[in-house]
Each structure stands twice: as C-alpha cells, then as structure tokens.
Amino acid sequence: MLQGEGQPTLRDRVEQHLQTIYRDVPLSLPLAELAENLLAVMRLEAGQNPPAQHVNHWNQCDVILITYGDSLLAREEKPLVTLKRFLDDNSEGLLSAVHILPFYPWSSDDGFAVLDYSSVNESLGDWDDIGAIAGDYDLMADLVINHCSSRSLWFENFIKGQEPGRGYFFTASPQDDLSAVVRPRTSPLLKEVETSEGTQYVWCTFSHDQVDLDFRNPEVLQQFVSIVRHYLDMGVRIFRLDAVAFLWKIPGSNCLNLEETHEVVRLLRTLVEHARADAVLITETNIPNRENLSYFGNANEAHCVYNFSLPPLLLNTLVTGDCRYLKQWVMSMPPAQNGTAYFNFIASHDGIGLRPAEGLLSDEELNSLITTMQSFGGHVSYRALESGESRPYEINIALVDALQGTVEGPDEWGLERFVCAHAIMLGLEGIPGIYLHSLLGTHNDQQRVENTGHARSINRHQWNLDALQEALDDQDSSHSQIFRRLKTLLAIRRRQGAFHPNATQFTLHLGSAILGFWRQSMDRRQSVFCISNISRAPQPLNLMDINLIDAHQWRDLISGEVYEHHDQQLELAPYQTLWISNLPDHR
C-alpha cells in the first residue's frame, strides 16, 4: 500500500530493503511477514510518516568522549557511577556525549566478544547507572553486530542444535575458495567445532572467541533489531556499528563491504530514524578511505563515518614536520551532505589504523612511521594477506607518547605537539571524538600489555580516581596541563558557528610546514582561519597570504591577539595554532 501521493509506506520501504538483502537467499517466510515482524519489534506503524531528511542532529557544541566503563575506579563505587561523577565534576558542560565502549557481559577483547546483549556487566553497574548517564549526556553505545562470544548462550545452543542460536552462525568448508577474504587478523579464519549435527567450521573474522553471525538467517536480523529497540528504550541515542563492513559473507569474494552489508545499514537507518528522529548511526569501518566513505550512501546509510585516515595522516604530519600528505587528503575529502557528518578522532581504545593510510602514504612513509612509534614504546599489530604473509595493521601506542618527538627522536616539544594535534582535529569539518586517555594525557601502560598479552592494552589504562584527581590538581603535571588546555580549546570551539560539523571548509596553501584551512559558518557570518605550525621550527606567516578582508577586525580566538594590519608579519612558534576569526569570541 502507498501513502500520500504515491509515496511508499514504511512497511513498503522495509520490504524493499529486505528484497535486496535476501535476493539470493531462500527464506521460509514471506518478506512481507518479515517486514511486519521487524516493525512490530520496533513498535512502529506500517504507515508512519518518515522523519525530515537532510537534518543535522548536531552542531559545534557536540563533542563525544570515548571511554571504557571502568577506565576510572574508586573504592566501593560502581565504575559507571564513578565515570558519571568525574564527568559531572570536571567536564564543565564541554562534552555533549559519552561513548561507553561495550558495557555488556563479555568473554574477551575488552568487551567486543559479547555474552549477552541485553545486560549490563555487573562489574560496571546496571541499567539504572547507564540511564543516569544517558539522562545528562547523549549516550553512544556499541552494536557489536558482526560477531558474538563463543561462550554465549547463542553459540552454546548452536552446538546443541537448539534455539535461540541454531543457525545463527556463519559456517563454511575448508574446501571453499577463501583466498580473497580480507581480514584484520592473522589467526585461522575457520574454527572447527563439534555440534549435534556433526563437525562444522565456523567463521571467525577476528578471533576464535568471536564467532561471526549469519545474517542470511532472518532470525539473526530480528534479534539485532530487537537489541536496537532495547537500547533505544535504555536511552541510547548514537549507535556505533562495530566492524559492520565484514557483516555479509560470500565465499569466493573478499567478504568486505558487500552490497547486502550496505543494505542492512540502510534498513537499520530506516527503522532507527522512524523510532527516534534524532538517533544517529555511526559506522566503524577501519578500511581504506574510499571504501569508508561509501557508508554514507546517498545520505541514506550511516549518519556519520569514522574518519579513519585522520589519525595516521596527522601523526605522520607531526612527526615529520611535513603536512603535504595530510593537506592532499583534506583537499580530496568531499563535504558531507546535510544529515551526514564525519566523526573525527585521533586516538581511541584501538590502535592507529594503517589500512586507512593505504594509497595516501607510501610504504616508505609508513615504515618510517612504524619505526618511529616503536622507538617511542609502541607495538604493531598485523593482519593476514591473501598470500599468507602478514602486513602491519595498526600501531598500538598512547597518543601522548606517540607525539613525544619526531622521526629524529624525543624532544622538548611533546606537550605543544600533542595540543596542536587536537587543535587541528577540533577545527576540521566533522564531529570530534576525544578518547578519555587523550583528555587526561595518559601514557603507555606497558604493564597492562604484559599482564594481558595484548598490544592494544597499552592505551587502555585504568586510573584510580584519587590518583587521577591528585595529578589533575597538580598544576605542573603534564596531565593537568593537557586537561586544562584541551578544555580551553573545547570551550572556544563550542562558541563558533564556523566550527559547525557541516560548515564550509577550504584548504589553504601555506607551504609544507604550515597546515591551514578556512571554515565559514552556515549563515556566512563568521570566518575562521585555522593555521597550525606543524614543525618544531618557528615559521613566518604574513597575514596577506590568507587574504583577510579589510572590512573586519580579525583576532586569534586562542590567544586573544587582535590584528590591526592585514599585511602583518607573524612568527608562529613551534606547534602553535591560530584560530583567526572576524567575530569576537562570545564568552
């Protein structure tokens, strides 16, 4: 049935998605019935009017803090309560949203091998604690959609041939052509298991404790739609679709970014935005840049995509003192349509991905970057190639240690370099995400790596809250200096219309040692020239080079300096950033 002047109903749209997803899959139930089931699970009406399209559900005030639920610990207090108390006491309204990494019961990978999607890990707290955070901050949660734990009830039932779980996991034969499969790990792809139906080989993209789900089975899709509905009810507004690029598998293909995968994202977008108009989907796809951008679709897939190429390119820029590669990439990035945005980050719980730099940095540049990071205490994780060889996949290091020096070694400019990196990210088009350990200037945790045996643990430190507060109260500590300076940048950013995630951006050409770009507010009232010296040598800058309009009085929003003459000659200190605006900073 069509609603209004030939417009498809919500049920029609859902059924169209399903036709694409299951076009090559024989089903035991009609697609119309499956569509009705999904609408019932989401509590949606078949003829429900669609939400307005191309609407930006964000502005320059939005900043997402990324953290584990137990990164901050206090005696005799649930970690989620401790987290909220720290945010309430210290964030000063500068953080609009919190991404709590998987807070469900799990068996490995620090949460990404989920045992039970419907529960909160008792060691962290409960749904009331999650709700308290969601009441004061936009809550971002992981939808770990590609795989779940091999110790989950679903997988136990798969082995027993019972429901729910029977037929939930993707199986293949060792004789299948799997040579083209793209993976981020070096472990064997297939895991042999004995089941009630005999020996089967389950697909494990990431680890043998993380078994891939089989979305060819519509019951799996219904389960995840039910999980989405539950998370919405619990206050989740932003959904991070973890490892979604690997979702659909077809032996003989690379099993990455398949059309069925994109259509599942489109279906989730349709369902979620009808359930909550300002809900946001973010795809986590640690893949080469062009493939990553494909998850925007035609503004009908992800609202936001992780800007995975930014971390390695910005890190390379600051350790080499040369911004050419970063500048070329910034120039090549298409403006996000209204209703979509880039999700910018330069550090996270994972490492600094190298695949998103493929085709952007040469092998020589990548090898130099890897060698430099290893000299700063970093580790390297690898992935398997079709040939059976291994290739570096990511660098594991705390960002403050990654920026302690240059390719020539450590120096005295580490703090300024670290702040410069964040000033660049905060100025760029997109919504910024800041990892808690970057906000706090947390160093490499080599002891945690030794304890866990996992390289990624280097950047997953757990702070005792009393020790952290003592460090932040010490005005001379690096933690205190970083925390205060980053909060100052966040406070300035939120007051500038030119820093709206969708505001116009244009790249400036100021040489290889100065990165510059221009932002203009959507109402065209404000211009901000973002200019950073990305080298450890002072750099001259003549304001004539950025063509300031004489009719305005220009000032640096960071230092407060006013520029009386538009041909004024400046000298940028090592790693100094200017945000030169034609409007005063309204405090």
Side-chain angles (χ1 to χ4, degrees):
M1 179 184 296
L2 300 183
Q3 68 178 20
E5 304 179 358
Q7 294 299 312
T9 65
L10 174 57
R11 181 174 57 193
D12 294 330
R13 291 182 61 196
V14 170
E15 190 170 341
Q16 288 167 6
H17 291 308
L18 295 173
Q19 286 171 353
T20 299
I21 295 168
Y22 294 110
R23 59 191 171 188
D24 296 323
V25 180
L27 299 180
S28 60
L29 77 168
L31 289 178
E33 182 179 339
L34 177 55
E36 290 284 1
N37 292 346
L38 297 182
L39 292 179
V41 167
M42 287 292 286
R43 302 197 298 272
L44 299 174
E45 298 294 332
Q48 191 168 323
N49 290 325
Q53 299 300 298
H54 302 290
V55 175
N56 297 320
H57 301 297
W58 44 77
N59 59 35
Q60 64 273 15
C61 296
D62 284 298
V63 177
I64 301 176
L65 180 76
I66 306 165
T67 181
Y68 278 103
D70 59 357
S71 292
L72 305 176
L73 302 174
R75 186 183 298 273
E76 297 183 358
E77 185 174 63
K78 293 182 289 187
L80 289 173
V81 174
T82 304
L83 173 62
K84 186 172 190 300
R85 182 159 61 89
F86 176 81
L87 293 175
D88 292 346
D89 292 345
N90 294 277
S91 66
E92 299 171 19
L94 300 177
L95 302 169
S96 63
V98 182
H99 173 201
I100 306 176
L101 290 153
F103 48 78
Y104 328 110
W106 53 275
S107 58
S108 64
D109 198 19
D110 282 352
F112 287 94
V114 179
L115 289 165
D116 177 9
Y117 290 88
S118 65
S119 302
V120 175
N121 191 331
E122 291 182 358
S123 68
L124 299 179
D126 54 32
W127 280 116
D128 287 341
D129 302 317
I130 291 291
I133 294 173
D136 291 331
Y137 305 87
D138 286 333
L139 178 61
M140 178 169 164
D142 290 276
L143 188 67
V144 185
I145 194 170
N146 178 70
H147 51 262
C148 71
S149 171
S150 66
R151 285 178 268 178
S152 65
L153 175 63
W154 286 354
F155 195 69
E156 289 177 359
N157 285 347
F158 169 81
I159 291 174
K160 297 174 184 176
Q162 298 176 359
E163 300 291 358
R166 185 176 183 272
Y168 275 28
F169 295 90
F170 197 94
T171 60
S173 166
Q175 281 69 53
D176 288 336
D177 178 9
L178 306 178
S179 61
V181 175
V182 174
R183 298 183 59 224
R185 300 290 185 271
T186 56
S187 56
L189 174 62
L190 300 182
K191 172 184 177 180
E192 181 179 341
V193 294
E194 296 302 322
T195 75
S196 62
E197 299 177 8
T199 301
Q200 298 198 57
Y201 296 86
V202 293
W203 192 288
C204 301
T205 297
F206 290 89
S207 78
H208 282 189
D209 188 40
Q210 294 164 290
V211 189
D212 285 37
L213 293 146
D214 189 353
F215 275 82
R216 294 174 304 180
N217 181 348
E219 292 180 25
V220 175
L221 177 62
Q222 287 186 216
Q223 285 281 11
F224 274 89
V225 170
S226 176
I227 291 164
V228 167
R229 178 69 262 180
H230 178 55
Y231 290 176
L232 285 168
D233 292 341
M234 294 297 105
V236 174
R237 181 189 162 215
I238 307 170
F239 293 83
R240 176 184 183 269
L241 303 186
D242 176 65
V244 70
F246 302 95
L247 186 74
W248 200 270
K249 290 92 175 166
I250 300 176
S253 75
N254 65 4
C255 301
L256 186 69
N257 309 317
L258 299 185
E259 176 57 27
E260 291 87 348
T261 295
H262 282 281
E263 198 65 37
V264 170
V265 177
R266 294 181 196 116
L267 170 64
L268 293 176
R269 165 78 176 255
T270 295
L271 293 171
V272 165
E273 68 183 7
H274 279 80
R276 177 170 176 171
D278 66 344
V280 172
L281 298 184
I282 302 183
T283 47
E284 187 267 337
T285 48
N286 192 355
I287 51 181
N289 190 55
R290 182 172 295 181
E291 299 171 37
N292 187 35
L293 293 178
S294 71
Y295 283 88
F296 276 139
N298 185 22
N300 62 347
E301 290 189 42
H303 296 87
C304 303
V305 299
Y306 270 73
N307 224 344
F308 272 109
S309 296
L310 178 59
L313 289 177
L314 183 53
L315 180 60
N316 181 74
T317 291
L318 290 166
V319 300
T320 63
D322 187 337
C323 69
R324 286 177 296 173
Y325 293 102
L326 178 60
K327 184 167 70 173
Q328 289 169 6
W329 171 75
V330 171
M331 291 172 60
S332 73
M333 293 295 279
Q337 297 184 51
N338 281 331
T340 66
Y342 293 109
F343 180 59
N344 293 331
F345 72 108
I346 49 178
S348 74
H349 63 292
D350 288 337
I352 296 167
L354 298 176
R355 285 213 73 203
E358 291 177 7
L360 302 174
L361 293 177
S362 66
D363 287 345
E364 182 181 359
E365 292 277 349
L366 287 171
N367 289 334
S368 175
L369 182 62
I370 290 169
T371 300
T372 301
M373 292 303 103
Q374 289 176 317
S375 74
F376 293 164
H379 303 272
V380 179
S381 298
Y382 292 84
R383 67 182 180 93
L385 300 179
E386 296 174 27
S387 62
E389 299 177 72
S390 296
R391 184 181 178 92
Y393 175 70
E394 68 179 13
I395 298 168
N396 305 110
I397 192 168
L399 188 62
V400 71
D401 287 306
L403 292 170
Q404 65 182 274
T406 69
V407 291
E408 298 178 12
D411 59 27
E412 72 273 24
W413 297 105
L415 177 62
E416 298 304 324
R417 193 179 290 112
F418 183 81
V419 173
C420 177
H422 286 85
I424 290 170
M425 178 188 73
L426 292 173
L428 285 169
E429 175 191 353
I431 302 168
I434 297 184
Y435 188 40
L436 176 69
H437 290 304
S438 293
L439 190 64
L440 303 176
T442 308
H443 289 280
N444 290 335
D445 191 337
Q446 301 288 7
Q447 185 61 54
R448 193 170 176 87
V449 174
E450 185 176 330
N451 293 343
T452 65
H454 298 298
R456 284 179 166 180
S457 297
I458 197 169
N459 200 21
R460 299 179 180 181
H461 182 71
Q462 289 179 302
W463 275 98
N464 172 277
L465 188 61
D466 290 339
L468 173 60
Q469 203 60 60
E470 183 178 342
L472 295 180
D473 289 341
D474 178 0
Q475 300 294 298
D476 294 326
S477 77
S478 63
H479 304 293
S480 178
Q481 292 180 61
I482 286 170
F483 193 49
R484 285 184 281 116
R485 290 186 64 176
L486 293 190
K487 287 204 298 183
T488 296
L489 291 176
L490 290 172
I492 295 171
R493 182 186 190 277
R494 66 184 287 117
R495 296 190 291 264
Q496 319 308 321
F499 286 145
H500 186 288
N502 295 87
T504 298
Q505 178 172 292
F506 184 81
T507 308
L508 306 176
H509 299 280
L510 300 171
S512 63
I514 298 179
L515 178 69
F517 50 92
W518 170 70
R519 302 294 308 279
Q520 184 183 57
S521 61
M522 298 175 80
D523 63 7
R524 301 187 179 182
R525 292 184 61 245
Q526 185 183 31
S527 290
V528 176
F529 291 88
C530 304
I531 300 170
S532 297
N533 177 3
I534 50 81
S535 77
R536 60 183 185 180
Q539 296 294 326
L541 174 71
N542 192 306
L543 292 181
M544 289 184 65
D545 294 337
I546 58 175
N547 296 319
L548 300 182
I549 299 172
D550 290 339
H552 299 291
Q553 183 182 66
W554 297 85
R555 70 187 69 219
D556 175 23
L557 297 171
I558 297 175
S559 69
E561 183 177 357
V562 175
Y563 304 112
E564 300 290 350
H565 305 289
H566 298 161
D567 60 351
Q568 191 169 335
Q569 185 76 24
L570 307 180
E571 182 178 84
L572 296 178
Y575 306 105
Q576 181 181 1
T577 292
L578 305 177
W579 285 345
I580 301 176
S581 173
N582 64 323
L583 295 180
D585 182 22
H586 298 289
R587 298 180 184 275

